[in-house]
Amino acid sequence: KRQILAMIKQFNDVSTWVATQVVKEEKLKRRIKIINHVVSVAEACKELNNLNAVLEIVSGLSQGPVDRLKQTWAGFNKLEKARQSWESLRALVAPATNYKVMREYLKTTNPPCVPYIGVYLTDLIFVDEGNQDFVVGHPRLINFDKRRMLAGVISELTKWQATPYCFHKVPTIWDYLVNDLP
């Protein structure tokens, strides 16, 4: 439970940070550069199969205060390659039809991967609340179909944890992340 809450907090923190970085910049050209850079970071996250980070960034850039920056988005949209990347990333993590595009992407993805945990949490709630704990008409018989469905969701999620990323620690970056960030 603690880890799930930590992931949710990180998601919210990153999304808010992304939005803040854009909104706090007063200069139009600088805001366009920030959005362009953040979209590039999201694209790199996608290449690493970190869909959670992609959605964190897309969510941050989709927040109301950022979305209302019409001149900024008009300037950004002139950057053809960046605009196409942004549209592709948005389509990938769109919640439409229960994250259908993301689910299809995951079916063809090999680990390592960091999926968006919200998809699995939603599935678990749907299975748990949509199915009886006991067989209808037999209050002493456990509904094993429900347990199989729950196990299937958990199994799919845990398969992404089986293969770790093979990153190498870069001391200067590590020191910056650990010691220099506010």
Side-chain angles (χ1 to χ4, degrees), residues 7 11 15-17 83 102 128 133 151 174:
M7 281 193 78
F11 185 98
S15 295
T16 300
W17 180 84
R83 184 188 58 76
M102 186 187 307
D128 186 52
D133 287 330
W174 181 260

Side-chain angles (χ1 to χ4, degrees), residues 11 15 50-60 93 99 102 116:
F11 185 98
S15 295
N50 188 342
L51 299 184
N52 193 68
V54 171
L55 190 52
E56 289 170 349
I57 293 168
V58 169
S59 294
V93 297
Y99 294 95
M102 186 187 307
Y116 171 54

Side-chain angles (χ1 to χ4, degrees), residues 31-124:
R31 280 197 308 266
I32 294 168
K33 284 183 179 181
I34 291 169
I35 291 175
N36 188 32
H37 178 71
V38 170
V39 168
S40 296
V41 170
E43 194 65 49
C45 292
K46 178 187 172 197
E47 290 174 19
L48 292 169
N49 293 328
N50 188 342
L51 299 184
N52 193 68
V54 171
L55 190 52
E56 289 170 349
I57 293 168
V58 169
S59 294
L61 291 176
S62 300
Q63 288 185 17
V66 178
D67 191 53
R68 286 191 295 267
L69 297 170
K70 300 302 179 195
Q71 291 179 342
T72 302
W73 285 106
F76 172 78
N77 287 333
K78 291 177 183 175
L79 307 171
E80 186 63 26
K81 186 177 177 184
R83 184 188 58 76
Q84 288 176 353
S85 177
W86 169 240
E87 289 175 2
S88 171
L89 292 166
R90 282 180 51 203
L92 173 64
V93 297
T97 58
N98 198 17
Y99 294 95
K100 181 180 180 181
V101 176
M102 186 187 307
R103 289 177 188 272
E104 292 299 320
Y105 180 86
L106 286 170
K107 287 179 185 176
T108 62
T109 299
N110 293 319
C113 176
V114 181
Y116 171 54
I117 190 84
V119 170
Y120 296 97
L121 294 176
T122 301
D123 290 350
L124 288 170

Side-chain angles (χ1 to χ4, degrees), residues 121-157:
L121 294 176
T122 301
D123 290 350
L124 288 170
I125 290 169
F126 181 78
V127 170
D128 186 52
E129 291 185 359
N131 295 280
Q132 299 291 323
D133 287 330
F134 298 95
V135 175
V136 177
H138 301 281
R140 294 179 46 190
L141 295 177
I142 295 172
N143 183 353
F144 282 103
D145 287 337
K146 175 181 179 175
R147 301 309 184 264
R148 278 189 210 91
M149 288 187 276
L150 290 170
V153 173
I154 293 168
S155 175
E156 185 178 338
L157 180 58

Side-chain angles (χ1 to χ4, degrees), residues 3-23:
Q3 292 84 356
I4 292 172
L5 293 175
M7 281 193 78
I8 293 168
K9 181 181 181 330
Q10 176 187 323
F11 185 98
N12 293 334
D13 289 349
V14 171
S15 295
T16 300
W17 180 84
V18 167
T20 301
Q21 296 311 302
V22 175
V23 172

